[in-house]
Amino acid sequence: IWWLDPELTYGNAKPFVFTQGHSVCNRSFFPCFDTPAVKCTYSATVKAPAGVQVLMSATQSTYLEDEGVYQFYMEYPVPAYLVALVAGDLIHADIGPRSRVWAEPCLLPTAISKLSGMVERWLTAAESLYGPYIWGRYDIVFLPPSFPIVAMENPCLTFIISSILESDEFLIIDVIHEVAHSWFGNAVTNATWEEMWLSEGLATYAQRRITTETYGAAFTCLETAFRLDALHRQMKLLGEDNPVSKLQVKLEPGVNPSNLMNLFTYEKGYCFVYYLSQLCGDPRHFDSFLRAYIEKYKFTSVVAQDLLDSFLNFFPELKEQCVESKAGLEFERWLNATGPPLAEPDLSQGSSLTRPVETLFKLWTTEPLDSVAAASSVDLTKWRTFQTVLFLDRLLDGSPLPHEVIKKLSECYSSQLDSMNAEIRIRWLQIVVRNDYYPDLYKVRRFLENQMSRMYTIPLYEDLCTGTLKSFALEIFYQTQNQLHPNLRKTIQQILSQGLNPLPAIDTTAGTTDTPAVVLEDKVSEATNGAISLRDVNVSA
């Protein structure tokens, strides 16, 4: 349960509270069987002060104004982690026949402009693929930057971090991913956290089928290429033999299942589901199977064998061909082998969008650097966001770059990138930090002074502390710490203290004594151990 003072909201007007149950956190919210194997309906009564709007992930709600009491009822069985509550200075607007958006008053116009009419389009596309939407309403609530992940698929009420509103393409993908969870994850749920890919891999596959239907194959292939790049980046960090790269990962006693959330859950799971769809010869045949799978198992929890048995029974000709035992692509190997996916999708339909990225990257990384004129003629403002982040991610992978290259990159693109969204800007600033490019460091300071979100602060602090700029990071942190949620503040303190003796208390109050100074603790959390940047592991629930 996250309690926020008004200063940690956008409006600075009223306190705010929200819950985040995934994976096993709702045991601190209410007594429950905190496992996805157990589903039940629920009802709740919530008393709140006047002027505080309360919402829950429920199909029915009433408000008794005289008593200040909200009553909620979820009529369909759900696992404990999908029970969610949010309360604060929230107002709403309808954006479709069965959807409304909730946000703080200062954010609502932006949310409306980004999503009006869009959610119904995505829901309709999903229904055409996987059958009726069974939850009634599909509402969205935008949460303050303290929300610890990007999005959460709470039924009837998707939670999304407000910070993503400025990044249109990421917003589209994140909402569509949560829409897909309405079928894969919420209606049919993985029975154990060791098989999280049953929710995430299938939801990612469904998300890409929906984007193909609504935005075309080229856009879907571009987004997939961007995510698979991230998967291979994570694999280099973790090592191909790391057991967390298995789809059926072993959950040791005492380990928080959330620690197993990684891109393998999403992208390796997606690749396996895509491989199954290719065995059918036509993705529409696989859509028909998934509709039957949802109808058979909705409101229950399943294991991988349930999915695979259903698949082979639905396609008896594939069962006769023993596709589950095909050499090198055995289903068992997909589930239990470490390392990369055994097969990856053909993304050639996205070449019109990915080829310009590859061409520009080669111009900047091929020696001698005599193609600057050609490279500088590329106008990144005309590119899609996913093209630009794919290009910047590849430059990040190659950092540190020769000084002449980073200097020319800044001259060509820095002013263009300044006007772009945070998903793009953070990547450019990481390139600045990893290359110790001092002329643009002031932009890093300015960015961190205006960011309160975990996903836009942690990666930069990690990079700053890995290199020679830790004192610069400390200075910024001492100036901005009061605008950060205590949980985020603690994580940054742990990053700053890596490799240091316990730091003395530093008076950051410029001579005043009524505010206690911060002492950094000499310990490293699981979240920062191993120097795996959250930028490399950025996932939605």
Side-chain angles (χ1 to χ4, degrees):
I1 305 176
W2 295 60
W3 302 91
L4 309 185
D5 292 329
E7 296 75 30
L8 293 178
T9 68
Y10 281 103
N12 298 312
K14 298 177 183 177
F16 201 97
V17 62
F18 64 85
T19 65
Q20 170 55 17
H22 195 287
S23 303
V24 289
C25 296
N26 268 353
R27 61 189 65 183
S28 68
F29 181 20
F30 59 94
C32 59
F33 294 102
D34 205 355
T35 164
V38 175
K39 292 187 171 186
C40 65
T41 59
Y42 79 86
S43 59
T45 302
V46 184
K47 187 173 176 62
V52 173
Q53 176 68 50
V54 182
L55 305 169
M56 290 192 75
S57 55
T59 50
Q60 300 173 28
S61 64
T62 58
Y63 179 50
L64 306 175
E65 188 172 358
D66 293 345
E67 302 174 29
V69 169
Y70 292 84
Q71 293 180 325
F72 300 94
Y73 177 57
M74 168 52 81
E75 62 192 279
Y76 304 117
V78 294
Y81 76 88
L82 290 178
V83 178
L85 176 146
V86 58
D89 186 14
L90 295 167
I91 58 175
H92 76 270
D94 289 339
I95 55 171
R98 46 183 164 172
S99 300
R100 65 178 41 154
V101 64
W102 293 86
E104 292 183 61
C106 60
L107 289 175
L108 187 65
T110 302
I112 295 169
S113 68
K114 302 278 186 174
L115 292 173
S116 184
M118 304 304 294
V119 172
E120 184 60 28
R121 180 185 178 193
W122 302 330
L123 284 171
T124 301
E127 287 182 313
S128 71
L129 294 168
Y130 305 120
Y133 177 75
I134 58 179
W135 303 97
R137 297 197 58 81
Y138 187 93
D139 295 340
I140 297 171
V141 58
F142 284 97
L143 278 73
S146 302
F147 189 52
I149 58 175
V150 178
M152 181 63 207
E153 68 271 17
N154 301 309
C156 307
L157 186 67
T158 288
F159 284 19
I160 300 186
I161 193 168
S162 299
S163 313
I164 207 71
L165 271 169
E166 67 173 276
S167 306
D168 288 2
E169 290 181 21
F170 279 82
L171 175 65
I172 287 169
I173 293 299
D174 289 331
V175 177
I176 291 177
H177 184 84
E178 307 313 318
V179 166
H181 270 307
S182 302
W183 286 263
F184 305 100
N186 294 5
V188 182
T189 309
N190 46 280
T192 165
W193 293 121
E194 295 179 331
E195 294 186 326
M196 222 178 301
W197 73 273
L198 283 169
S199 287
E200 297 303 346
L202 280 161
T204 302
Y205 177 85
Q207 161 212 311
R208 288 176 181 150
R209 287 289 290 126
I210 296 167
T211 58
T212 299
E213 293 295 313
T214 51
Y215 297 100
F219 175 75
T220 299
C221 289
L222 171 64
E223 184 267 335
T224 305
F226 163 71
R227 298 293 186 189
L228 290 178
D229 256 29
L231 175 69
H232 290 289
R233 188 175 307 117
Q234 190 172 104
M235 202 167 332
K236 288 178 183 177
L237 289 165
L238 297 175
E240 290 196 6
D241 295 330
N242 196 304
V244 302
S245 64
K246 296 180 179 181
L247 289 184
Q248 284 187 329
V249 61
K250 181 65 177 172
L251 188 59
E252 299 296 337
V255 173
N256 187 336
S258 292
N259 293 350
L260 302 179
M261 288 286 284
N262 57 54
L263 286 173
F264 295 98
T265 308
Y266 292 75
E267 298 303 333
K268 189 173 181 178
Y270 160 75
C271 287
F272 184 28
V273 177
Y274 180 87
Y275 170 70
L276 294 177
S277 75
Q278 293 301 106
L279 291 175
C280 305
D282 184 334
R284 288 171 295 186
H285 295 159
F286 193 65
D287 295 336
S288 298
F289 157 66
L290 289 177
R291 276 198 299 275
Y293 167 77
I294 291 292
E295 185 59 33
K296 179 178 180 180
Y297 289 111
K298 66 182 178 184
F299 306 132
T300 68
S301 300
V302 299
V303 295
Q305 203 58 51
D306 294 323
L307 172 70
L308 298 176
D309 286 347
S310 296
F311 174 75
L312 293 173
N313 289 333
F314 194 87
F315 297 105
E317 69 279 11
L318 296 179
K319 189 173 185 178
E320 289 177 10
Q321 297 168 24
C322 299
V323 294
E324 73 276 16
S325 305
K326 187 176 180 180
L329 293 165
E330 300 89 348
F331 290 0
E332 182 66 22
R333 189 174 177 189
W334 269 104
L335 295 175
N336 290 302
T338 60
L342 302 182
E344 293 189 9
D346 175 11
L347 302 180
S348 59
Q349 288 181 283
S351 60
S352 62
L353 296 174
T354 55
R355 193 181 299 116
V357 176
E358 292 160 359
T359 300
L360 186 61
F361 178 71
K362 285 177 182 174
L363 287 175
W364 281 108
T365 53
T366 302
E367 295 185 1
L369 190 63
D370 53 10
S371 306
V372 173
S376 61
S377 67
V378 175
D379 184 358
L380 296 184
T381 63
K382 303 287 177 57
W383 277 16
R384 287 183 172 272
T385 289
F386 279 116
Q387 288 179 290
T388 306
V389 294
L390 183 60
F391 170 61
L392 295 175
D393 274 351
R394 290 182 177 179
L395 289 176
L396 263 174
D397 290 341
S399 294
L401 300 161
H403 180 73
E404 185 64 19
V405 172
I406 188 69
K407 182 173 180 290
K408 293 290 186 183
L409 278 166
S410 179
E411 290 171 1
C412 289
Y413 303 132
S414 188
S415 61
Q416 290 184 36
L417 298 170
D418 284 346
S419 62
M420 296 185 187
N421 63 61
E423 288 289 340
I424 291 173
R425 296 201 314 277
I426 189 175
R427 286 168 166 85
W428 170 246
L429 296 177
Q430 285 186 276
I431 291 171
V432 167
V433 170
R434 291 190 192 182
N435 288 275
D436 293 331
Y437 188 64
Y438 290 91
D440 277 3
L441 269 185
Y442 74 96
K443 296 181 180 181
V444 177
R445 177 191 295 275
R446 189 169 63 198
F447 186 84
L448 288 173
E449 285 173 347
N450 291 285
Q451 289 293 340
M452 297 182 288
S453 165
R454 188 177 194 90
M455 65 184 183
Y456 294 138
T457 53
I458 295 295
L460 275 171
Y461 275 107
E462 288 184 329
D463 282 349
L464 286 166
C465 292
T466 300
T468 60
L469 297 167
K470 183 171 281 191
S471 60
F472 178 70
L474 279 164
E475 182 185 336
I476 298 171
F477 175 70
Y478 287 137
Q479 291 174 353
T480 61
Q481 59 178 311
N482 290 335
Q483 70 190 45
L484 304 176
H485 188 277
N487 290 1
L488 177 56
R489 198 183 310 152
K490 182 178 179 181
T491 301
I492 296 173
Q493 289 171 352
Q494 291 168 338
I495 293 169
L496 291 166
S497 67
Q498 287 187 69
L500 297 179
N501 292 322
L503 295 179
I506 297 177
D507 184 1
T508 64
T509 58
T512 63
T513 58
D514 54 347
T515 304
V518 169
V519 180
L520 299 183
E521 301 172 13
D522 184 27
K523 65 180 181 180
V524 182
S525 74
E526 289 180 354
T528 58
N529 195 22
I532 299 172
S533 169
L534 290 188
R535 170 55 46 202
D536 300 321
V537 187
N538 185 18
V539 292
S540 320

